[in-house]
């Protein structure tokens, strides 16, 4: 799941935040998505009922997962697909490579799949002589830059159009200095069309796998999954085992929630249902565990398996918006990634559950109502108890607990803090506050505490 973080989250986030204009712009871009999501949700009177239903369906699916997966395999096989099971990323990659190698395929087009990012499929295949082309526009951009996506729905949200213009000039020969999005998109379209026509196999992710039909559903806005699977004779669909839903009718709940939560659209432009291979071609479905069944047995984190990867928790998270997806060092960043990553390697990702204000906004927007902030809080306790938090942080928290345990100590600390804010020069305060403080005009410190003011204005404690 990790893509070798170069630094811990606080360090990487500080580097991102040091570029103040980019941080503001990133923050505003994602907030724009959040606002769109709010407007779209407000237009559906039964929105909260849909969220409740989605939560209940996912809970049922997780409780009956083995039976549903077997039912899915039976129905998918009856429809003509071949189902493969992969215990981990290595087995997934071996299966995909084996299917391509058996057919002599050396040119693969891929639509967006966070699972294949998680498994490190691209470098695995490229090392074995297979050309892998990510065909989602944002994914292609980050692939050109040889970096992972920074967001699960908006992979290149960290980049400005001028940077993409320079990249396309270098890679696709577009005009120097051109940054018009329409022009750049047309150039990418022409480039990708050649790749689609030359492909010998198409690989897609899976948004939903329907147990009672054996179909897989793939949602894209660009139609690239459809192009990539309509032309070549081999379709590989790779899915985490949590993608299962029991019934085809359940899609009526999830498809309405997914697009609105992700981008504020009423529906994803293309929601394609693959039931068996098209005539003359093959469909292989690879179902991957890679730590998911272990997570299923871990309360309270098992509910994270309900995630439908809409990205809404990232768009709303004040930390994600100001620190960028790459700072998390994992394939799925943001609040949900900060719950998932420590389940794989607690020591390596111990900083992530602290990358949250615990404001609860992530849980408020989550279409399947995962209690993300509670899970992050639970992780903090667990990681601290296991000694995975830095000694300095443990000491600071112990001291804070000691201060908070006594009203007298609390009041004294408040007076000292206000005094420091008033007398220390602004430059020193900004330095103490770190990159976050340097971005902002720190408000003047109030002369009295809220309690003192209440006493003065109301005449009592
Ligand atoms: S945790 Fe919820 S809000 Fe976040 S990506 Fe998953 S489904 Fe969307």
């Amino acid at each position: 799941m990790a893509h070798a973080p170069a630094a811990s989250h606080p360090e990487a986030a500080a580097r991102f935040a040091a570029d103040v204009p980019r941080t503001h712009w990133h923050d505003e871009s994602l907030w724009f998505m959040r606002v769109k999501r709010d407007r779209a949700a407000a237009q559906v009177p039964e929105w909260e009922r849909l969220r409740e239903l989605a939560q209940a369906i996912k809970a049922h699916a997780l409780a009956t997962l083995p039976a549903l997966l077997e039912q899915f395999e039976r129905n998918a096989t009856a429809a003509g697909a071949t189902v493969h099971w992969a215990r981990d990323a290595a087995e997934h990659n071996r299966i995909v490579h084996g299917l391509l190698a058996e057919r002599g395929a050396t040119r693969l087009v891929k639509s967006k799949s966070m699972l294949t990012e998680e498994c490190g499929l691209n470098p695995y295949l490229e090392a074995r002589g297979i050309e892998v082309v990510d065909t989602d526009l944002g994914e292609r951009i980050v692939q050109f830059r040889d970096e992972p996506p920074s967001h699960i729905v908006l992979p290149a949200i960290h980049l400005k159009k001028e940077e993409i213009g320079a990249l396309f000039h270098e890679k696709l020969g577009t005009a120097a200095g051109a940054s018009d999005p329409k022009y750049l998109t047309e150039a990418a379209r022409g480039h990708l069309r050649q790749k689609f026509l030359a492909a010998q196999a198409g690989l897609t992710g899976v948004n939903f796998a329907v147990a009672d039909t054996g179909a897989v559903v793939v949602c894209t806005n660009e139609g690239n999954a459809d192009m990539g699977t309509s032309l070549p004779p081999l379709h590989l669909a790779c899915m985490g085992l949590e993608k299962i839903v029991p019934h085809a009718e359940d899609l009526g709940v999830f498809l309405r929630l997914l697009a609105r939560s992700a981008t504020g659209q009423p529906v994803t432009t293309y929601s394609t249902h693959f039931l068996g291979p098209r005539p003359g071609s093959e469909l292989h479905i690879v179902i991957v565990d890679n730590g998911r069944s272990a997570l299923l047995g871990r309360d309270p984190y098992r509910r994270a398996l309900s995630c439908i990867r809409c990205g809404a928790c990232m768009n709303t998270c004040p930390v994600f918006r100001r620190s960028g997806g790459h700072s998390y060092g994992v394939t799925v960043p943001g609040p949900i990634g900060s719950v998932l990553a420590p389940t794989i390697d607690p020591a390596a990702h111990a900083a992530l559950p602290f990358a949250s204000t615990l404001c609860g906004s992530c849980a408020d927007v989550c279409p399947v109502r995962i209690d993300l902030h509670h899970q992050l809080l639970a992780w903090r306790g667990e990681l601290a108890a296991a000694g995975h938090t830095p000694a300095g942080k443990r000491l600071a928290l112990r001291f804070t607990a000691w201060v908070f345990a006594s009203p007298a100590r609390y009041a004294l600390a408040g007076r000292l803090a206000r005094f420091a804010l008033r007398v220390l020069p602004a430059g020193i305060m900004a330095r103490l506050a770190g990159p976050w403080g340097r971005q902002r005009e720190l408000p003047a410190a109030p002369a009295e505490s809220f309690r003192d003011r209440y006493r003065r204005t109301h005449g009592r404690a």
Side-chain angles (χ1 to χ4, degrees):
M1 185 172 283
H3 52 74
S8 72
H9 180 268
E11 290 162 359
R15 269 207 307 277
F16 184 87
D19 184 344
V20 175
R22 186 185 299 273
T23 306
H24 281 308
W25 163 81
H26 188 264
D27 176 17
E28 282 163 17
S29 304
L30 290 171
W31 188 250
F32 175 72
M33 300 303 288
R34 160 72 206 261
V35 171
K36 273 181 76 187
R37 172 259 172 219
D38 288 353
R39 283 204 199 104
Q43 284 168 7
V44 180
E46 67 276 26
W47 183 255
E48 289 307 317
R49 179 73 187 123
L50 283 175
R51 290 179 73 213
E52 276 170 26
L53 270 173
Q55 181 184 21
I57 294 167
K58 279 289 185 181
H60 167 68
L62 292 179
T64 56
L65 196 57
L68 289 177
L69 286 167
E70 286 173 10
Q71 185 188 9
F72 172 78
E73 181 183 30
R74 278 195 304 279
N75 288 327
T77 306
T82 306
V83 176
H84 306 260
W85 300 87
R87 263 180 298 264
D88 53 23
E91 194 170 6
H92 163 265
N93 293 349
R94 274 200 305 277
I95 291 170
V96 171
H97 177 248
L99 290 166
L100 294 170
E102 280 164 20
R103 288 151 188 81
T106 56
R107 295 188 299 275
L108 174 72
V109 283
K110 263 178 70 201
S111 70
K112 186 135 49 77
S113 159
M114 285 302 117
L115 177 73
T116 58
E117 293 283 343
E118 173 187 325
C119 294
L121 181 68
N122 285 19
Y124 182 89
L125 293 180
E126 283 160 1
R128 287 156 183 79
I130 293 174
E131 182 198 44
V132 184
V133 176
D134 280 308
T135 58
D136 173 273
L137 178 56
E139 289 264 326
R140 188 62 175 147
I141 290 167
V142 292
Q143 190 183 27
F144 274 147
R145 288 171 58 94
D146 198 21
E147 65 183 18
S150 70
H151 186 291
I152 60 174
V153 174
L154 311 158
I157 188 70
H158 58 293
L159 298 173
K160 296 188 171 186
K161 63 183 187 331
E162 290 76 18
E163 291 168 301
I164 296 167
L167 181 72
F168 278 16
H169 174 61
E170 180 198 333
K171 302 286 184 184
L172 302 180
T174 53
S179 62
D180 173 49
K182 186 168 183 300
Y183 169 72
L184 297 178
T185 307
E186 285 291 340
R189 192 166 182 249
H191 157 72
L192 287 172
R193 187 152 295 246
Q194 298 309 314
K195 298 296 182 186
F196 282 124
L197 290 170
Q200 296 159 313
L203 187 149
T204 67
V206 170
N207 290 91
F208 305 101
V210 185
D212 70 356
T213 65
V216 294
V217 180
V218 182
C219 305
T220 72
N221 275 325
E222 298 170 20
N224 53 316
D226 306 80
M227 282 286 280
T229 54
S230 300
L231 298 173
L234 175 62
H235 174 189
L236 308 169
C238 301
M239 56 176 268
L241 50 77
E242 81 284 10
K243 296 289 179 184
I244 205 89
V245 296
H247 308 294
E249 303 90 84
D250 301 332
L251 295 171
V253 174
F254 289 108
L255 291 176
R256 295 182 75 196
L257 288 168
L258 176 62
R260 287 179 172 89
S261 301
T263 56
Q265 296 166 252
V267 71
T268 315
T269 312
Y270 300 89
S271 294
T272 307
H273 301 236
F274 294 98
L275 179 59
R278 65 186 159 76
S281 73
E282 295 176 74
L283 170 60
H284 291 262
I285 302 168
V286 188
I287 303 177
V288 184
D289 185 328
N290 205 31
R292 288 163 173 77
S293 54
L295 178 54
L296 197 58
R298 290 208 61 185
D299 262 337
Y301 312 115
R302 70 194 301 266
R303 290 201 47 218
L305 287 168
S306 302
C307 174
I308 59 171
R309 301 288 192 266
C310 71
C313 57
M314 294 159 211
N315 300 343
T316 200
C317 176
V319 176
F320 183 93
R321 285 190 277 117
R322 292 168 180 84
S323 60
H326 286 157
S327 64
Y328 291 75
V330 287
T331 302
V332 177
I336 181 64
S338 301
V339 172
L340 290 172
T343 65
I344 304 291
D345 188 342
H349 304 297
L352 294 188
F354 294 88
S356 167
T357 61
L358 299 183
C359 63
S361 184
C362 47
D364 282 348
V365 298
C366 177
V368 283
R369 302 196 348 159
I370 301 173
D371 54 340
L372 289 159
H373 59 308
H374 290 150
Q375 299 200 12
L376 291 169
L377 188 59
W379 260 128
R380 290 184 187 189
E382 202 169 310
L383 291 165
H388 290 311
T389 45
K393 181 174 274 183
R394 284 203 300 277
L395 202 62
L397 288 175
R398 261 192 222 125
F399 176 72
T400 308
W402 178 77
V403 170
F404 281 19
S406 149
R409 288 196 289 265
Y410 180 80
L412 176 65
R415 277 198 292 279
L416 286 174
R418 283 193 302 283
F419 177 73
L421 280 169
R422 275 203 307 280
V423 299
L424 289 180
I428 293 180
M429 289 312 298
R431 190 166 287 278
L432 287 175
W436 313 103
R438 282 196 287 279
Q439 289 179 49
R440 285 169 178 73
E441 301 281 319
L442 289 174
E448 61 186 344
S449 71
F450 177 78
R451 182 196 284 185
D452 292 342
R453 183 173 167 209
Y454 189 86
R455 280 184 179 136
R456 181 169 54 76
T457 54
H458 290 72
R460 58 197 158 90

